[in-house]
Amino acid sequence: MIRFILPCALGLSALSPAHAEKLPIFDAHIHYSHDAVLSVPPTEIVEILRKAGVRKALVSSSDDRGTQLLLEAAPDIIVPALRPYSRRGQTGTWMHDPATIDYLEDKFSKFEYEAIGEFHAYGDDIKTDVIQAMIGMAKDRNLILHHHGDREALDLIFDTWPEARVLWAHSGFEDPDDISDALNTYPTLWADLAYRSEMASYGTLYEGWKALFLAHPDRFMVGTDTFAPERWHYVGPHADFSRSWFEDLPDDVARKIAYENAETMLAAK
Amino acid sequence: MRLLLLLKQAVLLAGASTATQADILLSDAEIAQTLQHGPWPQVAQTDPSNRFSGNPNAIALGQTLFHETSLSLSGDLSCATCHQPEQDFTDGRARGLGKALLKRNTQSLWNMDQFRWFGWSGDTDSLWAQSITPLFHSDEMAHSPQSLHGLMLGHATREQIETLTGPLDTVSPEENAANLGKIIAAYVETQRSGQTSFDRFRDALAVDDLATAANYPKDAQRGLQLFLGEGRCSFCHSGPNFSNSEFHDAGVPYFLAEGGVDEGRHAGILALQSSPFTLNSAYSDDPEKTGAWAVRNVRFNHANFGMFRVPSLRRVMHTAPYMHDGSLPDIAAVLDHYNTIDMERLHSDGEAILRPLNMSQDQLDDLAAFLATLSDDG
């Protein structure tokens, strides 16, 4: 953190080549849910994103209305994803509710999406009829699956649909070795780093994480995870935090994690 | 005849003992947990980073300065304006009022020597550094180091201060500020709450004095059981001071009515990192830099955004309103908050111990009865 504070405080920003241009960000894990819609208007959201240097954002929202509002306000930034439930409180139950299927079909009949998610599912949850049907819908439409869950669930997703493009939310909250194993196992798996800050301290990457990023430079992306409405005000600080540890990577790898990998994932249809 | 009398007394004593044990509702495991919340009061220790800590002259002068409105640039605010001693060092307001409405609730100043971090966001790591903060806050005392130094050179207390610090005109404005903070802290750290009925209960349990322990009300015992068990309150409200002195997301909104948000611990760490007044700084009087490991090792974490320090529960019934923004007017509202906590505000991989308590009104009343026994030290 201090590495990105001090240069500003000391007026040194123009002296460092890495700071010469503010690296744009593809924020691959962001929500604009029903409560955020009530608290932060779309115009303010768009202003926050632009000010933070976020050029694209994969947005999913509990009840989806927020995603559509943002898409209307900033179609150049917003990449819409469909969350399969309308309230965050359903994260542990939605896969047992047959109404989920109707909900998804209704949304697909009205709007276009690039992904389904972020959805929470662990272990055998993937075998439920609801999730199997949901994966089928994603397959029919060639959509990315933005999955929040464990390795067992991840394996079952790829068992169900081996060619799936999966974005593993929070990199499964796994450690670098286990993330690496998953990435080696599945060539169409990408991993977001939302809500994870343990990879770096004051702009310096820890050894294991740096090795991971260098071994898999094409597979990671960052995300703010605005799980509470107030956290929209964290989009800027989060982008700056990411830029601080990007400086500890070769420029091309930093650029990939900042935005290129997400764009590649979207294009890999 | 005499033997019969002794036998009768033995039977009576045995009966009394059984009745007393029945009056203690706690299991052995709960008693062991209860013992962790004491003894109280803790043995007072001087602060090695503050050379005036424990100095009677500094304590007396600190009390004077604490009430000194001339320490504010406008001349009408003192520490005691918000931290009113007759109101348990609070002001009864939801959010403090300095020269403008402040962002946070005015916290009590009891037992400050029990904390590692200070203020709701932990923007300081010592009581003396925390005592400096309002002197320079633009909405509070509004001084700069230079204006404060200039003020003290002509201040009525200059001679008393110099008795402690040496000549004022030979110190830098920053060192002058550090000295003032330390003198005020020397007074504030002497504000320690007394022994409560909970502490007497706890101490009696510690020596198996069940007769004394049985005086502790049943509703408070049931509340304590909920506090330790089903409520999981003691995870954060731990130890003798009923605070782990760390930062958590309690599911309280942190939007500011005037726009933006209160960033909580996120802002606290930023302030800490840029502060010249930490335990790791040259202004600490402790050559061993005791406790400086914390500021040296504090790491930034995305979860910090919107987290606030766990308050102590000692004298809690006297320090309403509650939470970082004073948004909950009384204890009943606080208990209701945790009873019906909005899980949608919390990250699914964040505060793992929080979930709606779903307690009955009787249970909530018992919890309140227990909390009251942390506040009855007079």
Side-chain angles (χ1 to χ4, degrees), chain B residues 23 28 40 63 108 124 127 173 188 201 205 235 349 352:
Chain B
D23 287 334
D28 288 347
W40 194 267
Q63 183 170 12
S108 170
T124 53
L127 182 55
V188 173
F201 173 65
L205 291 177
F235 274 84
D349 292 272

Side-chain angles (χ1 to χ4, degrees), chain A residues 88 201-202 225 230 234, chain B residues 254 273 298-299 302 344 347:
Chain A
R88 290 195 297 274
S201 178
Y202 302 115
D225 193 357
E230 290 91 336
Y234 190 58
Chain B
Y254 47 98
Q273 296 293 353
V298 70
R299 292 288 180 267
H302 295 316
E344 297 210 351
H347 196 274

Side-chain angles (χ1 to χ4, degrees), chain A residues 102-132:
Chain A
D102 297 335
Y103 177 80
L104 290 169
E105 286 178 343
D106 177 60
K107 293 296 178 186
F108 284 130
S109 71
K110 294 174 181 168
F111 305 111
E112 296 289 326
Y113 300 94
E114 292 286 343
I116 295 180
E118 175 201 16
F119 63 87
H120 294 66
Y122 293 84
D124 282 353
D125 287 346
I126 302 300
K127 295 179 179 175
T128 59
D129 292 344
V130 168
I131 292 187
Q132 287 293 306

Side-chain angles (χ1 to χ4, degrees), chain B residues 1-9:
Chain B
M1 186 68 185
R2 184 177 175 128
L3 182 62
L4 185 63
L5 189 62
L6 285 172
L7 279 172
K8 274 185 177 176
Q9 286 177 336

